[in-house]
Amino acid sequence: MPGLIIAIDGPSGAGKGTVSRAISEQLRYRHVDTGAMYRAVGWRVQRDGLALDDEPAAAAIARDAAIVVEGGVVSIDGIDVTREIRTPAIDTAAAAIARLPAVREALVARQRRLASGGGVVMEGRDIGTVVFPAADVKVYLDATPEERARRRATDASHTGGQAGTAAVAASIVARDRSDTTRAASPLTLAPDATYLDTTGLAVAEVVARVLALVQAKAAATS
Ligand code: DC
């Protein structure tokens, strides 16, 4: 299998994390969760007591902090934040700093460096549109808001004591609005991406469909 770049985009709770991890394991590719990078920056902005719209300060963190997001562990400047970044407070902080163009510019540059040489599955919101418009395979995963809220509410890695699926659904709708209406790289379907509605599909089925796209691409390029 050649070192392809596989872009997996879509809203929260669409299954990007689970599917991207499975694909990367099967192909022995690196898996890069770009949402975790935005979350790590949001965490640091909060910890430092900065305003969520302080663009120069947040961009300096995005540019200069040591951010590691591989191997299931997320750290920023050597502090393991794997668990701390999966809370409702950081959902809000990450969505806020993700609106800031200077933050995006810094993280996109890092993401491009991380994938140099290919052999990567990168998940996010703008991977197929902005980070790698020429990605070899582009998939846009979606699911109904109800299904996404249900998945997020039962996601053991996402903590913070929200009051069940209704509260999660409200916060997902708010984040969808923030992610799709921001001026800088809004979440949108790339014209050449394969749209996959995962509502009611088993993870194995989604993984098989994405792997079929990858194999078709590999066969076409070899
Ligand atoms: O995928 P996630 O929920 O962990 O993402 C956290 C936030 O970061 C979310 O509000 C969307 C934003 N994000 C983004 O703007 N661009 C990306 N490539 C990845 C995430």
Side-chain angles (χ1 to χ4, degrees):
M1 182 68 68
L4 303 180
I5 292 182
I6 302 171
I8 312 276
D9 288 304
S12 13
K16 300 189 300 293
T18 310
V19 170
S20 302
R21 255 191 311 279
I23 303 281
S24 68
E25 279 165 16
Q26 297 232 15
L27 298 173
R28 296 180 197 280
Y29 275 15
R30 272 182 304 150
H31 168 224
V32 180
D33 173 4
T34 62
M37 301 172 84
Y38 287 92
R39 287 174 180 276
V41 172
W43 178 88
R44 185 56 194 279
V45 163
Q46 279 222 322
R47 194 208 61 176
D48 292 354
L50 302 165
L52 291 176
D53 60 355
D54 186 341
E55 186 162 10
I61 293 169
R63 197 177 50 242
D64 301 330
I67 302 173
V68 179
V69 298
E70 286 191 62
V73 173
V74 183
S75 70
I76 182 160
D77 284 337
I79 304 169
D80 185 337
V81 294
T82 310
R83 281 189 67 76
E84 284 89 335
I85 59 167
R86 310 276 172 200
T87 64
I90 302 302
D91 289 348
T92 304
I97 60 95
R99 300 179 73 86
L100 306 173
V103 169
R104 303 200 69 84
E105 196 182 312
L107 291 186
V108 166
R110 283 176 169 237
Q111 289 153 13
R112 288 184 179 144
R113 282 199 297 275
L114 277 175
S116 66
V120 69
V121 182
M122 191 171 283
E123 59 163 297
R125 301 293 190 288
D126 60 341
I127 310 305
T129 52
V130 174
V131 183
F132 290 112
D136 298 290
V137 176
K138 298 184 188 181
V139 178
Y140 187 101
L141 293 183
D142 205 355
T144 60
E146 296 75 23
E147 171 81 4
R148 295 191 286 117
R150 195 187 58 71
R151 288 180 189 164
R152 180 46 64 83
T154 54
D155 179 353
S157 71
H158 207 271
T159 56
Q162 278 180 324
T165 312
V168 177
S171 100
I172 277 195
V173 167
R175 253 175 0 117
D176 283 353
R177 193 175 306 119
S178 179
D179 291 341
T180 54
T181 62
R182 66 178 176 229
S185 311
L187 170 64
T188 169
L189 175 66
D192 53 350
T194 298
Y195 179 89
L196 251 179
D197 184 345
T198 69
T199 311
L201 288 185
V203 171
E205 173 67 13
V206 181
V207 170
R209 290 197 196 183
V210 177
L211 281 176
L213 293 171
V214 175
Q215 269 141 17
K217 181 68 186 191
T221 52
S222 63

